[in-house]
Amino acid sequence: MKMTTKILIWMAAGLMFGSVINAFASDVVFIQDYLINGLFYVVGALFINLLKMLVVPLVTFSLICGVCGIGDLKKLGRIGVKAFFLFMLTTASAITLAIFISVIVAPGKNFEMADIEQTGYEVPPAPPLTQVIIDLVPSNPVAAFAEGNMLQIIFFTILFAVCILMIGERGKSIVDAVEKLNEVMMKVVNVVMAIAPYGVFALMAKTFSMQGIGLILPMIGYFGVVVLVLFLHASGTLMLLLKLLGQVSPLMFLKKMRTVQIFAFSTASSNATIPVTLRATEKRLGVDNSTASFVVPFGATINMDGTAIMQGVATVFIANVYAVELGLVGYLTVIGMAVLASVGTAGVPGVGLIMLAMVFSQVGLPVEGIALIMGVDRLLDMLRTAVNVTGDAAITTIVARGEDSLSMQIFNDPSAGAIEAVHLPTKEMQEN
Ligand code: ASP
């Protein structure tokens, strides 16, 4: 059986299993203590740790190879500028579509506050924009690597790789060594992916055992509009851009993105999904390492189309609930703020709500309103993260196509880069 199919089956099984527990056994102490907060929690958390463990070394080695592979600073700059521009464009169009549809559907009008159990969520303070800019440069690279601060890691690694190029012939052995290290890390990704079905099952079962349909029903207006716009953006806007700017088949793209989307959905973290996105863009879609190694981690940090969509709908929803008139200027501010906020925050679970707090305080909406949408946020987080990573990979493909670094042979081969079975080393293999 193909690995993607296997992961999909285990995901569906986890989802169903969790939902059954939620419906029939949510107060059985044994199941809660040993299964949900015991086995599922441990296996799921182990799996997320395994993925996160790969991110920093993989991005570092891959980016050094990428920059040294390009070998041309002008090209590197061009790729960066193109990617940045396209990321901003897609995020802005995502939130504009979200606001447009929400204004028409008007979720939150006649909303009964009493229907909702308020969770009283304390919103952590958002960093000021000046600090976001200053923090692009790490004062201590070791701390940046230890904390997994992606933009700082990208900054330092690019500078480091450019300087390897600048020392010329003597840097060659470093590049050779890093290429080998990169190959090893890619192998580690394969090994981790081989156990993914069980990790995905545990994450799904745990999440859905706690997320009953009862939470969604009173919020169905808000929930439905977010899901609708996420779907329109992922299958409309992004695919249109792939077709028009990238001149590649959107269907083939989506087929090859399935595993990445499942990982993003079950982990709710674009950052933790970076290893899988990187692998898929290079091995499945045929993007050259020189482009993917830079654009994928960059996108996971600054590009959040799905999150912007949630923010657009949430703004209109809360404005309706509290009967606040935002007007055109208000909406334009929301668009600008959401795009800026997506640059300054990393792709980790739940960060969308923190960004939303920034947006709300800017346009004068009550920040307590966020407590209203908290209950359904985990599920929406999973969905929007899947859209976030789809956007990252779509833009990576488009940029690569424009730079002539997309292998159409790999892109059009349905089985290229499919996850293989992992064979543990044996004595004979080493002797061969
Ligand atoms: N979880 C999202 C991501 O990692 C961010 C968010 O919307 O909260 O991309």
Side-chain angles (χ1 to χ4, degrees):
M1 194 194 294
K2 277 208 288 202
M3 193 58 160
T4 308
T5 318
K6 196 172 163 188
I7 299 178
L8 205 59
I9 292 174
W10 280 83
M11 180 181 107
L15 197 151
M16 282 189 283
F17 194 71
S19 307
V20 168
I21 292 183
N22 183 279
F24 302 109
S26 55
D27 42 15
V28 181
V29 177
F30 174 81
I31 292 187
Q32 287 295 331
D33 286 359
Y34 291 99
L35 217 52
I36 298 176
N37 295 319
L39 186 67
F40 295 161
Y41 171 61
V42 172
V43 175
L46 273 177
F47 177 58
I48 297 225
N49 273 0
L50 271 174
L51 282 173
K52 286 195 196 154
M53 169 186 92
L54 306 178
V55 177
V56 174
L58 186 65
V59 168
T60 311
F61 298 145
S62 176
L63 195 51
I64 294 179
C65 295
V67 174
C68 295
I70 296 180
D72 170 0
L73 265 189
K74 261 207 212 120
K75 184 168 174 186
L76 184 69
R78 205 171 51 226
I79 291 177
V81 170
K82 273 190 197 168
F84 182 79
F85 177 73
L86 285 169
F87 283 147
M88 295 302 101
L89 180 81
T90 48
T91 308
S93 69
I95 186 166
T96 310
L97 182 69
I99 291 180
F100 184 70
I101 294 189
S102 310
V103 168
I104 295 174
V105 180
K109 279 256 158 76
N110 310 320
F111 183 78
E112 288 296 331
M113 213 60 129
D115 283 354
I116 286 284
E117 199 187 308
Q118 296 244 3
T119 41
Y121 171 70
E122 285 275 320
V123 185
L129 189 63
T130 42
Q131 199 57 40
V132 170
I133 296 170
I134 296 169
D135 284 346
L136 285 178
V137 180
S139 60
N140 175 355
V142 179
F145 281 87
E147 285 161 11
N149 185 323
M150 204 45 67
L151 290 184
Q152 294 189 348
I153 293 176
I154 293 178
F155 180 86
F156 180 79
T157 308
I158 290 183
L159 187 61
F160 185 80
V162 168
C163 293
I164 295 181
L165 288 175
M166 284 163 75
I167 63 170
E169 199 44 44
R170 285 194 306 139
K172 186 92 188 43
S173 57
I174 303 180
V175 181
D176 281 348
V178 175
E179 268 167 10
K180 286 177 192 142
L181 287 169
N182 191 36
E183 205 180 315
V184 175
M185 279 315 296
M186 272 292 179
K187 202 44 145 193
V188 186
V189 177
N190 278 348
V191 174
V192 171
M193 288 188 75
I195 56 157
Y198 317 111
V200 168
F201 174 86
L203 286 174
M204 286 289 123
K206 166 118 173 65
T207 308
F208 281 86
S209 66
M210 301 186 316
Q211 302 275 328
I213 193 85
L215 279 177
I216 300 176
L217 280 181
M219 299 292 286
I220 195 74
Y222 165 72
F223 193 90
V225 178
V226 177
V227 174
L228 172 73
V229 186
L230 285 175
F231 176 77
L232 288 178
H233 182 75
S235 60
T237 314
L238 288 177
M239 295 308 114
L240 204 66
L241 285 178
L242 264 176
K243 187 82 206 152
L244 295 179
L245 298 180
Q247 287 164 358
V248 291
S249 151
L251 281 182
M252 186 60 93
F253 173 85
L254 283 179
K255 188 169 151 37
K256 294 187 168 187
M257 278 300 288
R258 214 176 302 146
T259 316
V260 184
Q261 289 167 334
I262 296 174
F263 271 73
F265 181 74
S266 42
T267 60
S269 167
S270 319
N271 261 21
T273 312
I274 287 176
V276 190
T277 320
L278 207 49
R279 183 188 181 285
T281 43
E282 288 183 21
K283 309 267 187 252
R284 303 271 292 137
L285 296 170
V287 177
D288 192 69
N289 167 262
S290 57
T291 307
S293 66
F294 176 26
V295 184
V296 166
F298 192 36
T301 319
I302 73 158
N303 180 50
M304 294 185 198
D305 300 353
T307 307
I309 288 170
M310 175 279 281
Q311 295 180 343
V313 182
T315 309
V316 179
F317 174 74
I318 299 294
N320 283 341
V321 171
Y322 288 89
V324 178
E325 200 54 62
L326 279 180
L328 190 62
V329 177
Y331 288 130
L332 288 177
T333 314
V334 172
I335 295 174
M337 278 301 295
V339 174
L340 280 182
S342 75
V343 179
T345 39
V348 292
V351 78
L353 287 187
I354 302 173
M355 293 156 63
L356 194 59
M358 284 159 90
V359 175
F360 275 18
S361 50
Q362 196 69 29
V363 291
L365 279 177
V367 174
E368 314 83 77
I370 293 179
L372 275 182
I373 54 175
M374 275 284 300
V376 290
D377 197 63
R378 174 68 196 185
L379 219 53
L380 288 180
D381 196 0
M382 297 162 86
L383 288 168
R384 65 182 184 246
T385 309
V387 174
N388 287 348
V389 296
T390 309
D392 299 342
I395 301 302
T396 308
T397 310
I398 293 171
V399 172
R401 182 77 164 143
E403 290 294 327
D404 220 3
S405 40
L406 180 74
S407 157
M408 288 314 289
Q409 198 193 345
I410 298 182
F411 187 94
N412 289 325
D413 173 2
S415 56
I419 311 166
E420 331 91 55
V422 170
H423 302 288
L424 293 176
T426 57
K427 196 98 190 125
E428 288 118 62
M429 268 169 75
Q430 281 164 29
E431 278 158 10
N432 285 336

